[in-house]
Amino acid sequence: MGKIYVANRQLVKPGDLLAEGSDIKAGDYTYREDDKIYSSILGLSEVDNKQVSVIPLEGTPLPKEGDIVIGLIIGVGITNWVVDIKGPYKAILNANEALESFNPITDDLRKYLDIGDYIVAKIIVFDRTRNPMLTIKGKGLGKITEGIVIDVKPSRVPRIIGKKKTMLNVLTEMTGCNIIVGQNGRIWIRCPDKKLEKIVVKAIRKIEAEAHIPGLTERIKKFIEEEKRRLEV
Amino acid sequence: MSEEKPKLINEEGLRVDGRRPDELRPLRMEVGVLKNADGSALVAFGNTKVIAAVYGPREIHPRHLTLPDRAIIRCRYHMAPFSTSDRKSPAPSRREIELSKVVREALEATIFTELYPRTTIDVFIEVLQADGGTRTAGLTAAALAVADAGIPMRDLVAAVAVGKVDGVLVLDINEIEDEYGEADMPVAMMPSLDKVVLLQLNGVLTPEEFKEAFKLAKKGIMEIYKMQKEALFRKYRILPQA
């Protein structure tokens, strides 16, 4: 019978013994040595019945197939774009994943997307042996033409979205802004006016700084209310 | 400084700086001291002061160093020109190149490099003030910086040097003790896993002394490890509670 040594949402660091016993599953950011399960990262423990995992507080997670990311075009080739999606690997966006019909002889890709443009994209292939491939064909994907894009720590993305999108709903409903969160730690914000935009950015910075302290959603609600009163919107 | 060998252990059995033989110097550790690095740490063992910065995992330049199955670790141990009493040339010396290598190998033992193929993890260790035990302080700081960067690793690495001065085994030796002592043995471990990742020995110890020295080092490492943990957690505890 296995034993779990940590509570839920407890701070752990690499090398901390989380659990013992072969019947307990080693989840994300943990590793098993003999019968013991250790944390491999600085983060918060998560205990779920027969599984222990750790939610990291720092670092960039690897891209996953199907992730929605916000990328920055950093290179234009003959048939593809090179896209910075933060993290260790540069992504490739092929022209046929962006345009309906495309002829490399007559078309110049710069006409469609140029260096410095932001895009909302989906990762279609990634297996670590090659750089991730993107597509911008699909609902809600494509070039970003309005609003602002801000960078946050990728490890804070799950908190900004919240369990069952609770946090994201608070942010959008209370401010009326349209917010798209990229899994890679970029956020696209479209607001009816500048004041609200300011509030959203401030609220996101607050989430980023206090991600590990419980009771975050309630605090953010109060914070947005106060800010709204202060800025009179 | 006099040419003569100073008395390293006094009548009461205390050392040049007043420590007991099994006592560490005052430790200071801070995590996240550099804004532009992915992870960073400052570690001070008494007058030895070291700063470490970690960047990555990131793309490798030059490209040909890329490994298809894992990340490479590049490590630079460097002493600042002002870190010693006589100005040290900023060019990497033979000693610094060797220490970069042993520190890198110690880190390779703990980091899960296979998670990030075709990338590099760059570790920079800068000695700001040298008073003995800089490689151990450097490795201690580097491990903290890697953890701060959020890179998956087996365990932190804590390190300390044990020496033999005037026939007595002493923990965490300083510059004078290193210069006039009979032996200097830096040890680095992954404490939770009870594994050694660096062990060097300069000078002569008998087998019995070695065993004793290793035990002493382990005791010091456990204390350092505790401080490392506190330093990492402190970063998240001092944030204002709203």
Side-chain angles (χ1 to χ4, degrees):
Chain A
M1 203 43 218
K3 264 193 296 221
I4 294 176
Y5 297 113
V6 286
N8 223 345
R9 305 219 139 261
Q10 188 184 323
L11 258 178
V12 292
K13 58 148 197 43
D16 276 0
L17 183 61
L18 303 176
E20 214 169 335
S22 52
D23 55 328
I24 291 163
K25 242 178 93 187
D28 289 347
Y29 298 101
T30 65
Y31 68 97
R32 182 186 288 278
E33 190 133 320
D34 300 326
D35 245 6
K36 293 177 171 137
I37 298 170
Y38 298 92
S39 168
S40 71
I41 208 155
L42 180 66
L44 298 170
S45 60
E46 197 169 58
V47 182
D48 182 18
N49 198 15
K50 288 277 162 210
Q51 176 174 318
V52 277
S53 45
V54 178
I55 306 162
L57 284 167
E58 305 288 342
T60 331
L62 289 166
K64 268 205 311 285
E65 286 174 15
D67 273 0
I68 302 292
V69 295
I70 294 173
L72 174 65
I73 307 285
I74 53 167
V76 185
I78 303 287
T79 59
N80 60 2
W81 290 273
V82 182
V83 186
D84 168 50
I85 53 168
K86 302 193 12 172
Y89 305 103
K90 301 233 174 328
I92 305 293
L93 173 65
N94 272 327
N96 54 16
E97 289 295 348
L99 308 168
E100 279 309 324
S101 63
F102 156 76
N103 179 352
I105 300 162
T106 53
D107 280 350
D108 180 8
L109 290 186
R110 279 178 200 276
K111 262 193 341 212
Y112 307 99
L113 290 169
D114 206 349
I115 290 169
D117 286 343
Y118 280 106
I119 54 167
V120 181
K122 192 162 89 180
I123 294 170
I124 41 174
V125 192
F126 177 63
D127 61 3
R128 290 193 214 185
T129 60
R130 264 179 278 164
N131 282 2
M133 303 285 271
L134 300 176
T135 181
I136 54 171
K137 277 182 179 169
K139 194 175 164 243
L141 307 181
K143 185 175 169 181
I144 292 173
T145 51
E146 50 170 354
I148 55 162
V149 173
I150 60 166
D151 275 51
V152 296
K153 278 189 184 170
S155 54
R156 301 295 190 268
V157 166
R159 294 298 275 165
I160 292 164
I161 295 170
K163 266 197 186 124
K164 288 184 193 144
K165 291 196 178 178
T166 45
M167 188 68 85
L168 197 59
N169 286 338
V170 166
L171 288 173
T172 51
E173 276 162 22
M174 290 184 74
T175 60
C177 295
N178 199 330
I179 303 167
I180 307 282
V181 184
Q183 288 298 322
N184 60 332
R186 282 207 184 101
I187 301 175
W188 177 25
I189 305 163
R190 277 167 297 170
C191 284
D193 74 88
K194 277 280 161 206
K195 278 182 184 169
L196 286 167
E197 189 178 280
K198 232 181 192 164
I199 294 174
V200 173
V201 174
K202 267 188 166 175
I204 289 172
R205 293 292 173 223
K206 195 175 162 70
I207 299 170
E208 221 185 338
E210 300 174 15
H212 58 292
I213 305 169
L216 191 60
T217 317
E218 286 309 309
R219 278 208 304 287
I220 294 298
K221 264 188 199 162
K222 249 173 83 187
F223 175 78
I224 295 176
E225 265 166 28
E226 274 165 28
E227 285 292 304
K228 267 172 136 175
R229 216 170 300 132
R230 204 170 61 84
L231 296 169
E232 290 158 7
V233 276
Chain B
M1 236 193 262
S2 68
E3 290 296 308
E4 255 170 78
K5 177 175 175 290
K7 212 165 183 231
L8 295 172
I9 304 281
N10 69 12
E11 290 75 19
E12 287 144 56
L14 296 179
R15 300 202 257 160
V16 275
D17 51 6
R19 279 185 289 160
R20 279 175 278 109
D22 66 342
E23 198 176 333
L24 290 168
R25 288 176 279 183
L27 295 172
R28 188 184 143 207
M29 293 184 196
E30 234 170 282
V31 164
V33 288
L34 300 174
K35 197 175 125 265
N36 288 332
D38 293 315
S40 58
L42 176 87
V43 168
F45 284 23
N47 289 326
T48 293
K49 230 172 248 171
V50 180
I51 198 160
V54 169
Y55 297 83
R58 61 182 180 184
E59 270 189 352
I60 305 181
H61 289 287
R63 268 279 167 67
H64 69 265
L65 296 174
T66 309
L67 295 180
D69 60 335
R70 64 193 151 98
I72 61 166
I73 298 173
R74 293 188 289 195
C75 182
R76 185 180 94 138
Y77 164 98
H78 184 250
M79 287 174 94
F82 50 81
S83 65
T84 45
S85 44
D86 286 328
R87 179 182 181 273
K88 189 211 146 280
S89 159
S93 64
R94 207 184 77 134
R95 175 178 172 276
E96 284 169 292
I97 293 166
E98 182 201 315
L99 292 190
S100 302
K101 175 185 174 287
V102 295
V103 169
R104 189 193 75 224
E105 284 170 354
L107 291 174
E108 274 170 352
T110 180
I111 296 174
F112 287 99
T113 52
E114 64 275 18
L115 291 176
Y116 299 97
R118 300 180 297 121
T119 64
T120 177
I121 296 164
D122 293 326
V123 181
F124 298 92
I125 297 165
E126 191 74 17
V127 178
L128 304 177
Q129 201 166 277
D131 185 26
T134 55
R135 82 193 67 183
T136 51
L139 191 48
T140 305
L144 277 178
V146 172
D148 182 43
I151 296 169
M153 62 205 292
R154 273 166 254 272
D155 194 2
L156 297 175
V157 174
V160 77
V162 177
K164 184 180 160 194
V165 295
D166 289 356
V168 182
L169 290 175
V170 294
L171 187 60
D172 191 15
I173 62 170
N174 62 28
E175 183 85 44
I176 302 172
E177 289 171 329
D178 188 19
E179 198 173 330
Y180 297 102
E182 295 102 77
D184 167 24
M185 183 172 87
V187 183
M189 291 180 73
M190 297 194 280
S192 291
L193 307 175
D194 201 27
K195 280 182 180 158
V196 176
V197 292
L198 178 146
L199 193 141
Q200 296 178 298
L201 174 56
N202 243 314
V204 181
L205 292 178
T206 64
E208 287 70 39
E209 277 172 341
F210 172 80
K211 274 181 201 149
E212 202 50 46
F214 187 77
K215 242 177 62 213
L216 197 58
K218 216 162 151 180
K219 178 185 161 266
I221 282 170
M222 279 311 181
E223 265 175 68
I224 294 164
Y225 188 54
K226 230 174 95 189
M227 287 278 300
Q228 280 181 309
K229 185 171 179 167
E230 278 166 21
L232 277 176
F233 286 2
R234 209 179 307 134
K235 188 181 167 189
Y236 294 96
R237 289 234 171 90
I238 55 168
L239 288 165
Q241 296 271 348

